[in-house]
Amino acid sequence: MDDVVWSGTWVAERLGVELIGGEELPGLLGLALRRNPKRAHLLVSNVLGKHVPQRPAVVYDSGFSLGLRVRDLLGPDEAARSVVVGYAETATGLGHSVADGLGFAPYLHSTRRPVDGVTSAGGFEESHSHATSHLLLPEDPKLLAGDGPLVLVDDEFSTGNTVLNTIRDLHERFPRERYVVVALVDMRSAEDLGRLETFAREIGARVDLVTGAVGTVRLPEGVLEKGQALVAAHETAQDAPEASGAPGTPEASGAPVPAPRGPLTAPVRVELGWPSSIPDGGRHGFGAPDAAALNDALPAMTERLGAAVGGARRILVLGFEELMYAPLRLAVALERAGRDVSYSTTTRSPVLAVDDPGYAIRTRLVFPAHDEPADGPGERYAYNVAGAGFDAVVAVVDSVADTPQLHAPDGLLAQLAAHIPHVVLAVVPSYVPAPGAEPATQAPPTGSRAAEAAAAAGPADATGPSEASGVTPAPDAADAAHAAPAPQALRAPAVPAHATGLRAVPAHATGLRAVPAHATGGAVPAPDDTQAPERSSMLPEPLRGPAFSSYAPEEVGWLLQDLSDVELEAPTEEREEAIQSGGAHYAESLPVEYQPSDRYQELFHAALETSAARIARAVGTVTETVLAERTGTPVLVSLARAGTPVGVLMRRWAQARHDLELPHYAVSIVRGRGIDANALRWLAAHHDPADVVFVDGWTGKGAITRELAEAIQEFERAEGITGFDPEIAVLADPGSCVRTYGTREDFLIPSACLNSTVSGLISRTVLRADLVGPDDFHGAKFYRELAGADVSIAFLDAVAARFDEVAEDVATGVKELLAADRTPTWEGWAAVERISEEYGIHDVNLVKPGVGETTRVLLRRVPWKILARRGAGADLAHVRLLAEQRGVPVEEIDGLPYTCVGLIHPQFTRGATGADGKAVVSQ
């Protein structure tokens, strides 16, 4: 330890600031300079997990051990009646850990984020902070109204002003007999030592103080002015430009930021699956039932996140401002699973960074606020992350903060990617109480329940906290609930064995949806009191591979729910008999997945080899057209499932040719039922609707084109959210139904040859009332069992391999296309009507034009006959084979506007569905 430089040396030498206290104090605290006109210095905690990355067990144990001490102070009965309040932003995780140590007591933290529809139960000011206003927003208004002890937790106890402001406000509303103040360090000056006792006498209540260490900071006269001058001088000396926000740009702090890596890799998103009943933290209250549910969910969460970080050696779990507890528990879980993990969080606190071993803040990343803060846009910071040697970082944010600013070129993810090879984004849904809903009971556990919780704490890790931190190992589980802690020492309590992982939770059923201002004309409306309280407008995060689909997680997010465990398949004839007899909708069941023969698979691979360059050219053309005609960054939204491989390829083209990371989601659209309105709500909450580009594989006669236009119009009327453009971008538009396309030729797109095995192993989408509620996404299945036959990635790779080859042709073709008249003529629809009459069918819905639609008829329907343009050649090899296998005649036709047309049997209509999705009764 003699060779270790104290991380307060730089400030102490230049400003004459002295840290006075026990020998453990330098291990707990360092010093830095604030970029704040109210207070020159910042005490930088080494065990808080805010500015300094630290082992998760050290951070969690620091709070948990203080909670055990509070329980010993109060005794079991009073501990069982207590409520814990933590301070935003730095102590939200610390306070929650204290509540855990107290016996998983009800917990609430203050917040600087107003939440529409939630009434404040109090507020107060933090005198020395750069952002002072605190709100208390409990879901249960009775949470603070009891007469049991109120435990207030902050990272440091200095002037005492923050605590006094809090107690004063709450005592006027909810008077009680006892308060306990908890902090990692008591740093009051001699002048402030008596203020707490005097205040307690004034209000007639007992106020106790429990801290991990005691000391003080001796400040010389004029330190504020000297500190401000030192900050200015240091920045000028470094001649650093004002922070631009670009990844790797040296910041105004003057601290050298390590050069960006190269080439950069795109961040990936991991789906956490957070249980809908569990709040994301203590902003609106967190009770014993929530703690038990979270502990049960932790293992699955840990497994998913472990898979997402892969073989990374050094991992940083990075929380987000007030969101500290959920990332901390996740980090603890990864650490206990044997990974080398550190933990810290982003902050709104501006601090000078100096790359010196005697200074607590070595590097600083700057990025814009990404949660639409009430006090307006501003800079946010991540300290000591760049240059720290991490192989992977898991950025954990709540869904309110999963905004375009987060993903922007100067946003947090880009800043992290410039310095860390593997960036994983984990989004926890923001819990907002539903208006009028009764909160879950927040009663703390009884004395026996608290003892069980404490006893569940196993021994600390063998690689326990360092001596420098002042944290010592916990007692054995047998006496953990009753052992008396050593005075002024931070004991490391055991982390409960069952508290070692988080499973991410869908946001539905958790409250109100925050609609961005751009979707509502500028103002976010107040909750509608007439709305049923059980309505849950917040929706889960998209599903992603490998948990759902064989696509990589960054390739597409599925705005669907997983119905993989539901038996939905039936033979074609049985499905259609059910449709005919009871008016069932075709989307209420699934056809049995076609298993291609060896000969058919050979045809697929041959067709792919032949047409890969042709498809690549069409992909490039449609993508370049979208980029040329859309302002901003397009958000690709493919119509599952035929549109999804095309959306993935468009995303790959934009990445390969323009270094653009386009968001891509897949949504369900059902004929006769429209597009999934909940998916549109999710998109409007996370992106500007004007940026959304709907993507499909091809057009036939244009039925889905019309369906989408009508559905968007209805959605705007019902929701009041405008901006979605119903225009579809397609790979092939043989029916002349859209303006944005890669080609208008009707040719074989190999992805049309197969079903799920070329579409990420995802089924067609399902919409059935007993499976899909009014606040659910439509459903689909993931056919994991077909992995051996999956060619989804092979198809994508084969086409993407031709991008460079066709780039020049694409550039020339797009220029011509943009100058041409691309107005849809709907000639395909006219041809379908003519064929319907000529063949005596009298229903256009039984006529399926084009290679893709004809293939679907043969794979999913009851075909009558196939019309083929004479001389069509290799594009129809797979159609001829399927027709042969099903005993369907193929008629050669001269002058057919499509390469082929599939006709569903006009009498035996077991494969036929009309415009409303129901069975067609033949004439």
Side-chain angles (χ1 to χ4, degrees):
M1 292 296 297
D2 293 339
D3 296 331
V4 176
V5 178
W6 174 48
S7 61
T9 304
W10 194 92
V11 173
E13 291 176 348
R14 286 160 177 80
L15 291 186
V17 174
E18 295 180 66
L19 187 67
I20 301 172
E23 61 181 12
E24 79 281 358
L25 208 57
L28 293 174
L29 297 172
L31 292 174
L33 295 181
R34 290 173 176 261
R35 300 173 72 231
N36 181 332
K38 298 181 181 180
R39 183 168 161 182
H41 71 284
L42 175 70
L43 295 175
V44 180
S45 173
N46 292 324
V47 298
L48 181 64
K50 175 56 72 172
H51 303 87
V52 179
Q54 176 60 276
R55 288 188 51 237
V58 172
V59 177
Y60 184 67
D61 294 352
S62 297
F64 196 100
S65 65
L66 288 170
L68 288 176
R69 290 180 57 194
V70 173
R71 184 180 180 279
D72 290 340
L73 172 70
L74 295 175
D77 293 339
E78 286 294 279
R81 301 173 59 236
S82 62
V83 174
V84 181
V85 173
Y87 289 94
E89 69 174 36
T90 55
T92 60
L94 174 66
H96 210 144
S97 302
V98 169
D100 288 357
L102 188 53
F104 299 95
Y107 175 67
L108 178 74
H109 70 69
S110 67
T111 180
R112 296 189 179 102
R113 180 192 289 177
V115 179
D116 288 339
V118 182
T119 302
S120 173
F124 47 90
E125 298 296 314
E126 186 176 4
S127 59
H128 64 263
S129 175
H130 61 282
T132 58
S133 296
H134 289 246
L135 298 171
L136 294 175
L137 304 176
E139 178 178 15
D140 182 357
K142 301 185 295 293
L143 180 63
L144 298 174
D147 58 1
L150 183 65
V151 180
L152 302 108
V153 183
D154 207 354
D155 56 321
E156 66 174 90
F157 189 58
S158 50
T159 65
N161 288 337
T162 302
V163 170
L164 294 181
N165 288 335
T166 307
I167 296 177
R168 180 180 290 110
D169 179 84
L170 293 178
H171 197 73
E172 289 177 358
R173 299 174 183 228
F174 314 112
R176 65 188 72 230
E177 295 180 354
R178 191 167 190 181
Y179 297 89
V180 180
V181 178
V182 180
L184 288 173
V185 290
D186 175 4
M187 301 299 290
R188 289 175 295 171
S189 66
E191 294 78 12
D192 291 323
L193 285 177
R195 292 183 65 197
L196 199 60
E197 292 79 2
T198 301
F199 179 78
R201 287 194 298 269
E202 290 175 358
I203 65 172
R206 175 176 173 177
V207 181
D208 293 292
L209 178 63
V210 176
T211 63
V214 176
T216 191
V217 177
R218 183 174 297 162
L219 302 175
E221 185 177 353
V223 68
L224 178 59
E225 294 77 13
K226 290 178 181 178
Q228 292 172 341
L230 184 56
V231 170
H234 187 71
E235 291 178 345
T236 302
Q238 292 291 332
D239 194 26
E242 192 60 37
S244 67
T249 301
E251 303 300 347
S253 66
V257 176
R261 301 179 307 104
L264 304 186
T265 54
V268 299
R269 185 186 294 260
V270 58
E271 297 307 324
L272 299 178
W274 185 279
S276 60
S277 60
I278 303 176
D280 54 299
R283 181 178 286 113
H284 304 296
F286 196 99
D290 302 317
L294 178 57
N295 290 338
D296 290 341
L298 285 168
M301 176 73 157
T302 309
E303 184 177 354
R304 288 173 182 157
L305 197 56
V309 297
R313 185 179 59 86
R314 293 195 64 223
I315 302 164
L316 173 67
V317 175
L318 183 67
F320 156 64
E321 297 185 30
E322 294 177 10
L323 186 72
M324 296 186 70
Y325 181 73
L328 174 58
R329 293 294 298 274
L330 180 58
V332 170
L334 280 176
E335 184 180 29
R336 291 182 66 88
R339 308 302 291 265
D340 184 354
V341 184
S342 296
Y343 164 80
S344 63
T345 60
T346 65
T347 178
R348 51 164 60 211
S349 177
V351 184
L352 176 71
V354 178
D355 190 15
D356 186 284
Y359 189 81
I361 304 295
R362 302 284 298 271
T363 63
R364 180 177 72 138
L365 296 179
V366 183
F367 50 92
H370 52 90
D371 62 342
E372 300 182 359
D375 56 352
E379 289 183 346
R380 299 295 185 264
Y381 312 95
Y383 295 114
N384 294 316
V385 171
F390 295 114
D391 303 307
V393 57
V394 180
V396 184
V397 304
D398 59 15
S399 55
V400 167
D402 186 16
T403 62
Q405 290 86 352
L406 175 67
H407 301 267
D410 62 342
L412 172 61
L413 297 183
Q415 295 284 1
L416 294 173
H419 300 282
I420 299 176
H422 187 39
V423 178
V424 175
L425 173 63
V427 179
V428 177
S430 303
Y431 181 85
V432 181
E438 285 296 324
T441 177
Q442 294 289 323
T446 63
S448 61
R449 173 69 178 86
E452 291 169 4
D461 294 297
T463 55
S466 65
E467 292 180 0
S469 72
V471 182
T472 58
D476 292 337
D479 60 3
H482 305 290
Q488 305 299 342
L490 291 178
R491 267 183 25 238
V495 179
H498 53 271
T500 57
L502 287 171
R503 188 167 61 87
V505 218
H508 63 69
T510 62
L512 298 174
R513 175 175 54 91
V515 180
H518 58 65
T520 59
V524 179
D528 183 357
D529 290 338
T530 64
Q531 189 178 50
E534 66 271 13
R535 174 167 174 81
S536 169
S537 298
M538 295 188 72
L539 292 159
E541 292 301 300
L543 301 173
R544 295 181 185 269
F548 187 83
S549 90
S550 60
Y551 292 132
E554 66 272 16
E555 301 267 35
V556 59
W558 302 84
L559 294 176
L560 298 170
Q561 62 168 310
D562 189 353
L563 300 179
S564 299
D565 295 331
V566 182
E567 189 66 37
L568 292 166
E569 294 79 8
T572 301
E573 290 77 8
E574 290 183 16
R575 293 179 68 238
E576 289 309 320
E577 284 196 347
I579 292 172
Q580 292 182 49
S581 63
H585 195 280
Y586 79 90
E588 294 175 353
S589 61
L590 292 173
V592 177
E593 280 286 302
Y594 170 72
Q595 298 301 303
S597 65
D598 291 343
R599 182 181 170 195
Y600 190 83
Q601 291 188 59
E602 290 173 4
L603 281 176
F604 166 82
H605 289 290
L608 180 57
E609 176 64 28
T610 302
S611 61
R614 196 177 184 183
I615 298 170
R617 191 176 300 110
V619 168
T621 300
V622 68
T623 308
E624 295 293 346
T625 302
V626 166
L627 294 175
E629 295 190 333
R630 293 293 185 110
T631 58
T633 301
V635 176
L636 304 179
V637 178
S638 58
L639 304 181
R641 67 186 169 184
T644 305
V646 178
V648 175
L649 285 169
M650 291 176 67
R651 183 183 183 280
R652 287 192 178 191
W653 178 279
Q655 185 181 46
R657 306 301 304 173
H658 301 282
D659 198 27
L660 290 175
E661 295 288 343
L662 301 186
H664 176 213
Y665 307 98
V667 303
S668 169
I669 186 168
V670 176
R671 196 171 70 247
R673 302 276 181 91
I675 196 166
D676 186 343
N678 286 317
L680 294 184
R681 292 186 190 104
W682 190 96
L683 289 166
H686 292 78
H687 300 281
D688 187 340
D691 291 335
V692 168
V693 178
F694 294 103
V695 175
D696 207 358
W698 56 84
T699 63
K701 54 183 173 288
I704 290 297
T705 305
R706 297 186 178 192
E707 182 81 40
L708 179 61
E710 293 172 1
I712 294 296
Q713 189 176 29
E714 174 58 30
F715 177 79
E716 291 180 345
R717 282 197 301 265
E719 299 291 328
I721 299 174
T722 61
F724 287 108
D725 185 348
E727 174 75 20
I728 303 179
V730 299
L731 201 61
D733 179 35
S736 188
C737 305
V738 299
R739 290 187 69 258
T740 308
Y741 52 85
T743 180
R744 276 187 168 154
E745 298 178 6
D746 182 22
F747 70 99
L748 170 61
I749 301 172
S751 60
C753 294
L754 300 170
N755 286 326
S756 67
T757 52
V758 77
S759 304
L761 297 180
I762 300 302
S763 74
R764 220 195 55 231
T765 59
V766 174
L767 179 58
R768 203 171 83 189
D770 62 323
L771 298 173
V772 180
D775 300 309
D776 294 331
F777 292 139
H778 294 188
K781 298 185 71 168
F782 175 25
Y783 290 116
R784 299 171 178 82
E785 65 274 16
L786 300 181
D790 188 23
V791 293
S792 304
I793 306 305
F795 169 70
L796 298 174
D797 291 346
V799 175
R802 303 296 186 93
F803 284 171
D804 290 342
E805 172 186 327
V806 303
E808 188 174 340
D809 287 347
V810 167
T812 302
V814 168
K815 289 180 181 178
E816 297 174 353
L817 191 62
L818 292 174
D821 181 6
R822 292 176 283 136
T823 304
T825 65
W826 294 91
E827 63 185 43
W829 190 278
V832 166
E833 289 180 325
R834 184 175 65 251
I835 292 170
S836 175
E837 296 305 313
E838 288 178 358
Y839 281 82
I841 298 174
H842 308 299
D843 192 315
V844 294
N845 293 295
L846 304 185
V847 180
K848 303 294 184 181
V851 176
E853 291 302 304
T854 300
T855 304
R856 287 179 168 183
V857 169
L858 290 164
L859 291 176
R860 306 180 190 171
R861 303 290 190 255
V862 179
W864 179 34
K865 59 180 65 179
I866 304 299
L867 309 183
R869 181 196 298 157
R870 197 178 306 277
D875 278 340
L876 288 188
H878 77 290
V879 169
R880 297 180 191 278
L881 176 59
L882 286 174
E884 175 188 321
Q885 291 175 342
R886 298 202 62 179
V888 178
V890 178
E891 293 187 12
E892 302 280 347
I893 303 294
D894 291 317
L896 194 65
Y898 294 92
T899 302
C900 61
V901 177
L903 304 181
I904 296 172
H905 202 295
Q907 302 299 324
F908 180 62
T909 59
R910 289 188 175 184
T913 53
D916 63 354
K918 297 181 180 179
V920 174
V921 179
S922 58
Q923 305 295 318

